[in-house]
Amino acid sequence: MAATAESVLKPDFGAARKHFIFTDEHEQLRESIRNFATKELAPHAEEWEETTFPDSVFTRMGELGFLGLDKPEAYGGQGGDYYSALVLAEEITNANSGGLAMGVAVHTDMAMPPILAFGSEEQKQEWVVPAIKGEKILCLGITEPDAGSDVSGIKTRAVKDGDDYIINGSKTYITNGHRADVIVLVTKTDVDAGYDGFTLFLVPMDAPGVIREKKLEKLGMHASDTALLAFQDVRVPASAVLGQVGKGFYHIMWELQGERLIGAAGMVAGSQKCFERTLQYAHERKAFGREIGKFQVIRHKFAEMATKIEGARQMTYMTAWRFANGEYPVREISMAKLVASRVLCEVADECIQIHGGAGTDEIMLDVIGRSYGL
Ligand SMILES: Cc1cc2nc3c(=O)[nH]c(=O)nc-3n(C[C@H](O)[C@H](O)[C@H](O)COP(=O)(O)OP(=O)(O)OC[C@H]3O[C@@H](n4cnc5c(N)ncnc54)[C@H](O)[C@@H]3O)c2cc1C
């Protein structure tokens, strides 16, 4: 808005303004996911941290149409754009359960996209259609006990045997690994072909030889199930190959890009939630006769956090806009995920600090500062 002699411009801090990538439809979607997460999921968050969240969350979300927001209508999806998947990633944080958000995101934004992008019509009908309804649950198997960051170091082998393949190996840290009906499995089919020696398979989790070995304990996100899996002479037909034989590495690298942006959006939203909850606390909690938020040190912490969150959000949205418009901005996607995850850790740490509880750095800093006569 331009200033004129007649007008007095005042900052509109309270204005609710949507980002340009979002339409009114996205905002309506945002509200309905938020209502659902707040009313139907959040009340169980603590219990599910003990028990893991139930499979019925998938069926309920399927009923509501939330598992196929950006998936084609031909397979039961809503036919929305990529931004609608970002809206889900952001609003599901209102479930107050990082583990639940991760379990859902693995299903919708990690395992499902490669089936839609590279799968045969039969594979889409068999797995994507019921997955969008929440009747079948998906997981994705890349990581192995001896190969994490170094995806090319995986050892799970798929060896051709007549018209079939025989799979042997193990996968670890597999989200939804205990509950899933099918796994998008990364294997090596040709050990001498370098990056051209990988192949993806869709392996039903009830196939003989698939062993759900162990539920893994984690430091947090206990609501999600994280599995160690073994594959012992698992026989699958050639029709279980997902995409092209020998192109699995490239297929999975493509999948990681969409997943990383969804992760970034979720982390920005999680940071915002920490911020808002702590802001409320800073208004309520009093020390030395005033709200703790009125101390300049604490006020500046909020200013720092808000600025970092906004920076991460803008980077995520801008990169999502490029991705949704047909670009493949791998560098910026990595930047967005890096920044969003760092901001989330910093904000969570700062928010815990503001909540105090057991000895606060601010008081120590104040004692030290005053000791210099300041
Ligand atoms: C909660 C949770 C859920 C997960 N869900 C899934 C899932 O559903 N499916 C799946 O396949 N995987 C999943 N993972 C696995 C995740 O993708 C891996 O943990 C990740 O790829 C890192 O692998 P790693 O843990 O083996 O670490 P490593 O690769 O062993 O790395 C160990 C350390 O070394 C560093 N490092 C490694 N290589 C280099 C290098 N070249 N240069 C410098 N430093 C390096 C790493 O940054 C890290 O700090 C999940 C993990 C967690 C924690």
Side-chain angles (χ1 to χ4, degrees):
M1 186 192 282
T4 63
E6 295 77 39
S7 69
V8 177
L9 284 181
K10 291 190 179 162
D12 51 356
F13 299 128
R17 181 162 305 146
K18 62 179 187 276
H19 192 270
F20 73 82
I21 63 171
F22 297 119
T23 61
D24 289 346
E25 285 74 39
H26 289 119
E27 296 312 305
Q28 284 158 15
L29 174 67
R30 187 181 289 291
E31 206 174 315
S32 56
I33 299 174
R34 186 180 305 162
N35 278 337
F36 160 70
T38 308
K39 289 190 190 134
E40 298 190 36
L41 303 178
H44 305 285
E46 287 190 22
E47 174 198 336
W48 292 345
E49 209 55 15
E50 303 288 328
T51 59
T52 71
F53 71 91
D55 294 356
S56 57
V57 168
F58 284 102
T59 32
R60 179 71 180 133
M61 289 186 70
E63 264 168 36
L64 294 168
F66 294 158
L67 298 178
L69 292 169
D70 60 339
K71 310 296 186 282
E73 289 174 64
Y75 302 107
Q78 309 298 308
D81 55 18
Y82 184 65
Y83 309 132
S84 54
L86 289 191
V87 171
L88 174 65
E90 292 179 336
E91 296 307 324
I92 200 82
T93 56
N94 290 295
N96 289 341
S97 172
L100 183 148
M102 186 167 64
V104 170
V106 164
H107 178 83
T108 53
D109 293 289
M110 301 181 198
M112 214 187 290
I115 312 179
L116 276 166
F118 312 119
S120 63
E121 188 54 32
E122 291 72 30
Q123 288 172 333
K124 291 179 200 175
Q125 293 295 342
E126 185 175 4
W127 300 115
V128 174
V129 170
I132 287 176
K133 287 187 188 146
E135 291 168 358
K136 290 255 159 82
I137 299 172
L138 313 178
C139 69
L140 173 66
I142 308 173
T143 308
E144 298 186 358
D146 294 324
S149 312
D150 181 12
V151 176
S152 66
I154 66 159
K155 295 198 186 103
T156 297
R157 289 288 319 270
V159 177
K160 196 125 182 39
D161 183 50
D163 287 341
D164 297 339
Y165 282 86
I166 312 275
I167 300 174
N168 277 287
S170 64
K171 297 283 171 187
T172 193
Y173 298 137
I174 306 307
T175 303
N176 296 341
H178 280 271
R179 60 173 100 227
D181 296 286
V182 69
I183 184 166
V184 174
L185 189 71
V186 185
T187 72
K188 247 182 199 168
T189 37
D190 184 345
V191 283
D192 300 320
Y195 292 120
D196 291 315
F198 295 81
T199 303
L200 305 186
F201 285 85
L202 280 166
V203 180
M205 292 293 285
D206 58 2
V210 178
I211 300 160
R212 303 179 207 237
E213 282 206 330
K214 200 157 105 185
K215 221 167 215 177
L216 298 171
E217 288 297 326
K218 307 186 291 296
L219 286 173
M221 294 186 138
H222 302 293
S224 88
D225 90 67
T226 310
L228 173 64
L229 305 173
F231 299 83
Q232 289 178 358
D233 291 327
V234 178
R235 179 176 286 277
V236 291
S239 60
V241 170
L242 176 61
Q244 289 181 50
V245 173
K247 297 295 173 219
F249 188 81
Y250 307 102
H251 293 340
I252 216 64
M253 286 301 133
W254 168 84
E255 178 280 321
L256 287 176
Q257 305 312 318
E259 161 188 334
R260 285 174 179 161
L261 266 181
I262 293 293
M267 288 186 277
V268 171
S271 310
Q272 186 69 39
K273 256 192 109 49
C274 292
F275 178 92
E276 281 163 15
R277 194 174 286 184
T278 309
L279 183 62
Q280 190 185 338
Y281 182 74
H283 280 303
E284 290 164 4
R285 177 76 181 171
K286 299 213 170 50
F288 301 96
R290 51 178 147 156
E291 294 173 14
I292 58 169
K294 299 288 184 194
F295 294 112
Q296 190 182 42
V297 160
I298 304 286
R299 192 161 61 232
H300 283 194
K301 282 182 195 287
F302 281 103
E304 286 279 6
M305 288 193 287
T307 308
K308 284 180 189 170
I309 295 170
E310 189 61 19
R313 181 184 288 120
Q314 294 302 331
M315 190 181 265
T316 302
Y317 285 172
M318 186 62 203
T319 310
W321 178 80
R322 291 180 59 185
F323 190 58
N325 281 282
E327 290 182 45
Y328 195 48
V330 171
R331 183 196 293 143
E332 287 74 13
I333 289 172
S334 305
M335 287 177 177
K337 187 178 175 197
L338 179 70
V339 167
S341 56
R342 283 185 175 170
V343 166
L344 177 57
C345 290
E346 288 164 8
V347 166
D349 189 43
E350 202 67 290
C351 287
I352 289 170
Q353 195 59 36
I354 293 170
H355 274 86
T360 70
D361 288 3
E362 289 68 32
I363 299 304
M364 294 310 109
L365 287 167
D366 215 46
V367 170
I368 297 164
R370 282 170 191 268
S371 78
Y372 290 104
L374 297 171

